[in-house]
Amino acid sequence: MVPTQSLLLPLFGGTAAAANLYAAHYSGTLNHLAFNGTSLTLVSSEKTGQTLPSWITYDAAGKALYVPDENFLDPASNAVLVSYSVGANGALTKKGNATTPRGGVATVLYGGKDGRGFIANAHYEAAQVSTYKLPLSDSRPLQTLNYTLDGPGAVPDRQEAPHPHQVLVDPTGDFLLVPDLGSDKIHINKIDKKTGKLTECPPAKTFYGAGPRHAAFWSPSCSKSRVASGKGTVLFVANELSNTVTGWTVSYPYGGCLELTQTQIITPYKGNSSAPAGASLGEIRVQGNYLYTSNRADQSFKPYDSLTQYNIAANGSIAWADLTSAYGLLPRSFELNKAGNYVAIGGQTSDNVAIVKRDTRTGKLGPLAANITVTGPSSGEGNPIGLNTVIWAE
C-alpha cells in the first residue's frame, strides 16, 4: 500500500510538512513524491491522458501545474497541454487543457499583471512556439511562431530543421527567449504583458554546431531595482550537440530589443577537456553564484552519469569547480529546492529520482540523501521511455 502524505514524518525533524515533488514519465504518468529529509516516497501516480508528458511548470502562487505533451510520432495528430490545481498535501486535480502542435518539450509562464497571465510552449518536433491565455481552455492558440531553416546544420541528423527546446523569461519579465537546437539560434521575443503577444526580435546566433538546448539567467547580487533593469545580467546556455556551456552578456538598448553577446565557452569537464564520446548536456540551473549542468551518458561515475558545478564570478564569468555523481543514468532533469540545500535529479533511463545534499556556502553537491524508482513502460513502439522531469513544488 502506498503511504499517504499524512503518514510521512516531519521534514528535517521539525514541524514542517514533508516537501512535495512531481515527476513526469514518458509512460504517460504524473507522479507525486514526498521527501522528509531521509526518504523519498511515491504518494500517487496518475495518467495525464497525454501521449508523452514531457515537462512540468509549477505556479507556486497559483497552486497549479502545467504539463505539455511531446507527442511526435503521428504527423496527423496534435498534442495536449494539461493543467492541474494543487490542493492540500500536494493532491492534484485536473483543471483544463488545450490542443497544441506536436512536440511540446517545455513551457513557461509569462505576462499579465503578475507574470502568470499566459503560457508559452516550445515544440521541438513542429518547429514552433505556441502561446495560450490562462486559465487554459481548449481553443486556438493565442499566437503561433513558426521557425524555418535554409539548410541542414553541422549535425545533419539533429539539425535538419529548427528544434526549439525551451522557453524562458528574462529577469525583467519583458522578453521571452527560445534556445533552438536545430538552427543554432536563440530566438528573442518582446512581450506585451497586457495582451500576451510576442514580437520577434533579431535572434542571437551561436557558433556552428553548438545545438543550444537549455538556458538560465544570472543576475549579480544587488538591489532589486538593478535586477529589474537587467543590468549585469548573463545568460548561460547548455549546448547539447557541442557539449559546451556558453556565457552571454545581456544588454537592453533603451526602448529596443534585448541583445546577447557571447563572451565565454567552457566544457563541463576539468581543464576544459572534451566530453566522452556519446555524452550530451541535459539541463542547466543557477542558484546564487553557482551554475550546474547535468551530463547525460558520460559514465563519469560508473554506472552513473554526472553533474558539473561552476562558480560564477562577480563579472559573470564561470569557472569549473566540481564533477559529482548523478546517481542515475541519463539525467535529463534536475532542480534545486528553494533553500538550496538539496538537489533532485531525474534519471531518464534509470527511472529514478535521486536527492543529494548541497552545501549552501560552497555550492558543492554532497552525498545521496534519498532515492526512489519510478517505473513505467513505453506508451508505444518507437516512443521514448523513462522519467523526463522532476521538480520541487515550493
Side-chain angles (χ1 to χ4, degrees):
M1 180 178 178
V2 177
T4 63
Q5 181 76 28
S6 61
L7 295 177
L8 295 168
L9 296 175
L11 183 59
F12 312 140
T15 58
N20 292 308
L21 300 93
Y22 297 95
H25 197 282
Y26 275 133
S27 61
T29 61
L30 181 59
N31 304 275
H32 175 197
L33 310 173
F35 175 58
N36 70 357
T38 58
S39 64
L40 192 56
T41 306
L42 178 63
V43 178
S44 66
S45 180
E46 64 177 85
K47 288 284 188 180
T48 64
Q50 300 163 298
T51 303
L52 296 170
S54 58
W55 180 269
I56 304 172
T57 291
Y58 179 61
D59 176 6
K63 297 295 182 183
L65 289 178
Y66 298 90
V67 183
D69 185 357
E70 199 177 344
N71 179 26
F72 63 85
L73 290 177
D74 182 4
S77 67
N78 291 312
V80 181
L81 174 63
V82 177
S83 64
Y84 291 85
S85 63
V86 181
N89 297 325
L92 298 175
T93 302
K94 191 175 289 188
K95 297 295 290 185
N97 61 267
T99 301
T100 74
R102 298 180 302 127
V105 291
T107 52
V108 71
L109 304 177
Y110 75 98
K113 295 180 179 179
D114 51 13
R116 299 164 39 242
F118 305 88
I119 189 166
N121 195 348
H123 304 281
Y124 182 95
E125 187 68 22
Q128 296 175 320
V129 166
S130 62
T131 64
Y132 305 83
K133 183 175 175 55
L134 297 177
L136 284 180
S137 61
D138 199 5
S139 58
R140 294 174 61 86
L142 177 69
Q143 187 178 8
T144 301
L145 305 179
N146 298 288
Y147 301 118
T148 59
L149 191 65
D150 293 335
V155 186
D157 61 333
R158 298 294 308 281
Q159 296 186 306
E160 82 296 348
H163 290 304
H165 215 309
Q166 186 196 18
V167 277
L168 70 158
V169 178
D170 82 311
T172 70
D174 292 329
F175 295 91
L176 184 140
L177 277 65
V178 186
D180 185 338
L181 181 147
S183 66
D184 283 330
K185 293 178 181 178
I186 303 168
H187 302 288
I188 302 169
N189 304 276
K190 195 167 187 177
I191 296 170
D192 184 319
K193 295 181 181 179
K194 184 176 181 180
T195 66
K197 183 179 179 181
L198 304 177
T199 300
E200 294 185 73
C201 295
K205 297 181 180 180
T206 70
F207 62 87
Y208 189 57
R213 174 187 172 93
H214 279 195
F217 284 99
W218 171 85
S219 295
S221 299
C222 54
S223 67
K224 290 184 179 180
S225 61
R226 188 178 178 192
V227 172
S229 71
K231 189 173 182 180
T233 297
V234 176
L235 179 72
F236 295 109
V237 180
N239 301 297
E240 177 178 342
L241 301 184
S242 61
N243 273 302
T244 59
V245 173
T246 45
W248 301 73
T249 58
V250 181
S251 59
Y252 296 86
Y254 181 76
C257 286
L258 177 153
E259 295 179 355
L260 297 174
T261 303
Q262 185 175 298
T263 56
Q264 187 176 13
I265 304 175
I266 189 172
T267 77
Y269 301 98
K270 188 175 183 179
N272 214 27
S273 57
S274 298
S280 65
L281 279 171
E283 287 193 353
I284 188 166
R285 302 283 182 181
V286 168
Q287 184 91 349
N289 291 326
Y290 303 100
L291 179 75
Y292 302 87
T293 60
S294 60
N295 310 305
R296 301 175 298 171
D298 72 347
Q299 291 286 279
S300 290
F301 295 85
K302 290 184 178 179
Y304 303 131
D305 298 328
S306 71
L307 267 64
T308 300
Q309 174 194 338
Y310 313 79
N311 295 339
I312 306 174
N315 65 357
S317 64
I318 57 174
W320 186 93
D322 203 6
L323 192 72
T324 55
S325 178
Y327 294 99
L329 304 175
L330 217 71
R332 184 181 177 94
S333 170
F334 74 101
E335 187 172 74
L336 292 82
N337 68 342
K338 190 176 294 185
N341 58 342
Y342 286 100
V343 181
I345 309 165
Q348 182 177 344
T349 56
S350 50
D351 274 328
N352 77 305
V353 174
I355 295 183
V356 300
K357 294 184 178 181
R358 177 179 177 270
D359 187 319
T360 57
R361 184 179 61 85
T362 64
K364 288 189 175 296
L365 305 187
L368 184 68
N371 184 65
I372 191 171
T373 300
V374 182
T375 59
S378 169
S379 58
E381 185 177 353
N383 282 1
I385 59 172
L387 187 146
N388 58 63
T389 308
V390 61
I391 66 154
W392 298 87
E394 298 179 291

